[in-house]
Each structure stands twice: as C-alpha cells, then as structure tokens.
Amino acid sequence: MQVAQLHDNELMNRLLAGDEEALVALYRRRQGSIYRFALQMSGSPAMAEDVTQEVFMVLMREGSTFDAARGALNSFLLGIARNLVRQRLAREQFYVPLSDDSEDGGVVTEQADRNQLDDLSRDETIESVRKAVLSLPARYREVVVLCELQELSYAEAAVVLGCAIGTVRSRLHRARALLVEKMRPTTEKDRAAGIKAARCFA
Amino acid sequence: MNCEKLETVVSALAREEIEDANERATALTHIDRCGRCARILEEQRRLSANFRALAQQMNAIEAPVRLERRILASLQQRSVVRTFPAKRRLLPNWAGALAAAILLLIGGFAVWRFQHQVLQPPAQADDGGAPRYEPPGKDQLLQEKSPDSGQDRHRVAKSVNHLTKSHRLNRGNQLRQDLTVDASAQTAEVATDFLSLGYGSASDLQDGGQLVRVELPRLALARFGLPVNMDRADERVKADVLVGADGLARAIRFVR
C-alpha cells in the first residue's frame, strides 16, 4: 500500500519513526484544511501561511503528544492552528473594517432600501458573509468556521476547542443569530425594532 | 410552541438537525402561523446556504507551494541534526578544557626539561633537618638500606643508571624532582614528578628511605589523574616508589 493511501494514524506512527514520506503525505492531505481554517479565522493569507507552517513544525517536534483516543488527527492539527491564530490575533490586534454607515457593526449599507441579500450577486453575497464572519468575536467566529465552513461535527469541533458539545451548540446558535442580525438590511432592522414587543403566543 | 421557544431551535431547524419528528412538526406548525418566526427561519436557511457557498468557494484554496518546500527543507535539516547527535557528555565542558590545559602544562614542562638538560646540584638541606639526597651515579645499583641507618640516603633503581637526578625534599610533604637525562645514555628514561601517596610527611624520610622500581598495570595512571592510552591498557608501566624507613610508601613516579 502506498504511503499516501494510509490512514492518518498510521502516517503519524511512521512520522514518529522518522519516515519523511509520511510527513509529506500528511502535509499534502491536511494542509488545505489548516490553511483555510487560519485564513477564515484571520482573513490574512500571510498569517494563514505562517500558521500552517508552524502547525507542521509543531507536528514534527511534538507529534508524540497526539493521542488517537482523544480525537482525529485533523482535530489535533486544527487545535494547534486555533491556538496559533488566537495568539497572533491577540498580538496583532487584528481588526476587520466594517461598513462605516452601520453603528451596530452591520455589514449592509444604509443606502439599501431593499433586501440586499436577494439582489447582491452570488460573489458579493459570499463576500459579505465572509466579512460578517470575520467581524464576529473570536469565540463565535471559530465555531462558525469549524462547524459551518470546515463542516466539522459538534463532537469534532468540541475536541478542537477543548469544550463541551453543548457549548459548541450554544455558541453556534448565538453566532448565527448575530450573523443574521449583521446581514439584515437596515430597513429591516428598523422594522424589527418597531415591532420588537410583538409576540405571537401561539 | 411560542416564538421564544422557536428562537432556541430555529438554527437547528435551519441546519436540519432536529431528529425528533414531533418537535420538528410542532416548530413548523408555529412557523406556518407566525410571519415573524417564518422570516427568522428563512434568514437562517439563507445563512446556511451562504455558508455552503462560501465553503465550496474556499475549498479550492490551498496553501502556497513554497510552503511545502519550506517544510521539507526544515524536515531535511532536522534529519541532518539527528544523524549527528550530540555525544552524551559525561563531564561538563569546563572539565574537558581543564583536562586539556593540564595535559598541555605537563607536556610543556617535559619539553622544557628536555631542552634544558640541566644537572642540578644537590639541594642544600632545608632548615629543620630535611634530608638531602645526593644525585645517584650511573653505576649505582639498588642498595638496601638498613632501617636503622640514617646515613645512606641514596636510593636508586637499577634501571636509572642513565639518569642523574637530585631529589629535594620540601616541607609540606611535597617531593620535587629535577630530572635530567644523560644524553650519552643509550636508553634514556623519562619520569614524572613524584606524586605524594599521602602517607606520613616529608620529615618521616629523615630516617631514610628506599626507591623501589615496580611495575604496575597501566590503568594505575588514572588513579593519579594521568592520562591512560586505552589501546595499551593491558600493558604494564614502570614506576619508582619512594618507601620510608617505616615501610610506608611516600611517593610514586611513573617511568617511561
């Protein structure tokens, strides 16, 4: 069986035994996920590149700390990437500029008097979602990136974040509510504020 | 179900995560009746769709190729370092430097002695009655000394015929030997300084002593901090032992 076809755990065993081919195979298999995670968290290709490199440096140095019983290798690597990104963001005080017209940090400009999510082109919509995710606080941003963009399960995300599954669920719920609020057109927000007290007790 | 309850499950509903059929049906029934909640669900579903589109768009993004080259270079660098691991140090660095300095001093002292080839006159007796040793002649043989005799202080071994030396005893239990080599000798011997064996003191030799030629395992050199050629560890090395009148060995020197 070729090295590239081996399972992650087997590749890790070979890596720890000094097999260079195993590291290359692991890198080629996992680099995209790590890089995209770091890019989605930071919005910076340069930071994403540095983080990805550092993740595999750590893997070479401290790969023996990986415990397959605690989770998949991908979760292990994403956990390292997550810590590195947080350290760098804290150090660089990364800031994603939002729309100047929005006092509450919403992405949709005040000029829109219609639902822009319906009228924007697909790419613009996606770009607005990307920016909205970057504008979230880190603890909400990472659950969105892991569960929605990386498509990890709650259990896998919990391993990456080092928290309970219920915590992941609640944070994701709150993050989605924030994103919907951010992306809601201004006129919609005004209308929503006016009828906030209205409740349907069905 | 009311609006407050629906807000707690709307994201799960949009992500199609509600497995309980009854709970799902109840939520959808409320949505059919509540325009506001229906709008919230629609926003959540749209958000999910946008997430899927964003994820699909970003799935094509990979790390730059140069990153793989950098990581491989780091891996190869680590492999080179592993091939030549640092030898396990039994002694701290300064001990090695100190040992080298001592060897240099010994070597330099030996070279200085050879170069000078000075025949030192017999040392005057120290104050306090320190004994004086006459340099032995070439034809001297090992002479037995009566323990009661206080006169005969010359002790040489048979094989030191080629050597002329004077021994001077200093206070403080330290022997110092001025070694000269008879240039006319066919086979010249070189010896180290006398190394105190710690028994008794210099004044004990006032009653005389003997210089006894012995052979010891070469590893005995290590006992006195001298370097040992491990390739010749099985061989023997000659030594002169200075034995006091009481029969206790006072000092030793190694001879080559």
Side-chain angles (χ1 to χ4, degrees), chain B:
Chain B
M1 182 174 289
N2 54 28
C3 294
E4 189 175 355
K5 173 65 177 175
L6 183 88
E7 284 182 10
T8 64
V9 301
V10 67
S11 61
L13 194 59
R15 300 182 90 228
E16 300 182 358
E17 292 175 346
I18 299 180
E19 297 178 353
D20 187 336
N22 289 333
E23 185 179 4
R24 178 179 165 79
T26 303
L28 291 175
T29 301
H30 172 78
I31 285 171
D32 288 340
R33 298 173 184 175
C34 178
R36 175 180 171 275
C37 293
R39 193 164 49 246
I40 293 175
L41 177 61
E42 181 56 29
E43 288 172 337
Q44 288 283 337
R45 283 175 171 167
R46 194 179 303 125
L47 183 62
S48 293
N50 289 333
F51 279 148
R52 285 191 293 272
L54 178 57
Q56 189 176 8
Q57 187 186 67
M58 294 196 75
N59 275 343
I61 297 176
E62 302 273 323
V65 176
R66 60 176 176 268
L67 189 55
E68 178 173 338
R69 287 198 294 265
R70 285 210 298 264
I71 289 175
L72 288 175
S74 298
L75 177 64
Q76 288 162 2
Q77 201 171 14
R78 282 172 60 85
S79 299
V80 171
V81 171
R82 271 200 201 131
T83 304
F84 300 99
K87 290 186 179 177
R88 189 169 159 233
R89 292 198 175 108
L90 298 177
L91 295 172
N93 287 334
W94 60 263
L98 182 62
I102 292 173
L103 287 174
L104 278 174
L105 280 173
I106 293 174
F109 180 78
V111 168
W112 181 75
R113 289 299 180 193
F114 277 108
Q115 286 177 345
H116 280 74
Q117 300 184 10
V118 173
L119 190 69
Q120 295 289 336
Q124 297 296 323
D126 289 336
D127 52 322
R132 207 178 107 192
Y133 286 87
E134 295 290 340
K138 289 185 182 180
D139 299 327
Q140 284 185 340
L141 302 173
L142 183 65
Q143 298 178 7
E144 291 294 330
K145 178 186 175 298
S146 157
D148 295 334
S149 170
Q151 301 188 5
D152 186 359
R153 298 195 172 91
H154 303 301
R155 294 288 177 260
V156 295
K158 284 170 100 171
S159 59
V160 298
N161 290 346
H162 308 296
L163 297 172
T164 57
K165 53 193 174 292
S166 64
H167 299 268
R168 190 182 318 168
L169 272 176
N170 293 330
R171 287 186 177 278
N173 204 28
Q174 183 175 1
L175 294 179
R176 192 172 62 172
Q177 168 192 351
D178 294 328
L179 177 67
T180 61
V181 176
D182 188 345
S184 63
Q186 292 292 324
T187 56
E189 284 190 347
V190 178
T192 66
D193 285 347
F194 271 99
L195 305 169
S196 174
L197 292 172
Y199 297 114
S201 62
S203 58
D204 294 340
L205 290 170
Q206 292 180 15
D207 295 332
Q210 298 182 29
L211 195 63
V212 180
R213 170 58 60 92
V214 298
E215 283 191 357
L216 299 171
R218 188 167 284 274
L219 286 175
L221 291 168
R223 162 76 170 80
F224 299 97
L226 297 174
V228 178
N229 185 350
M230 295 308 295
D231 293 335
R232 301 173 61 190
D234 296 332
E235 299 176 4
R236 290 181 171 274
V237 62
K238 295 177 185 176
D240 293 333
V241 179
L242 192 60
V243 181
D246 55 0
L248 291 177
R250 294 290 191 274
I252 186 172
R253 69 178 181 188
F254 293 93
V255 181
R256 178 169 60 88

Side-chain angles (χ1 to χ4, degrees), chain A residues 6 23 39 57 73 79 113 122 146-147 151:
Chain A
L6 293 175
L23 176 67
L39 183 60
M57 293 294 119
L73 179 64
D113 55 359
R122 198 62 176 166
L146 290 172
C147 297
E151 298 180 341

Side-chain angles (χ1 to χ4, degrees), chain A residues 14-52:
Chain A
R14 293 195 178 200
L15 169 65
L16 294 175
D19 188 348
E20 293 185 10
E21 282 189 43
L23 176 67
V24 173
L26 271 176
Y27 173 79
R28 289 175 178 170
R29 181 182 296 176
R30 296 298 171 197
Q31 53 84 19
S33 171
I34 304 302
Y35 183 80
R36 287 189 292 274
F37 170 81
L39 183 60
Q40 289 156 357
M41 282 295 296
S42 65
S44 166
M47 185 183 294
E49 189 173 334
D50 288 343
V51 167
T52 303

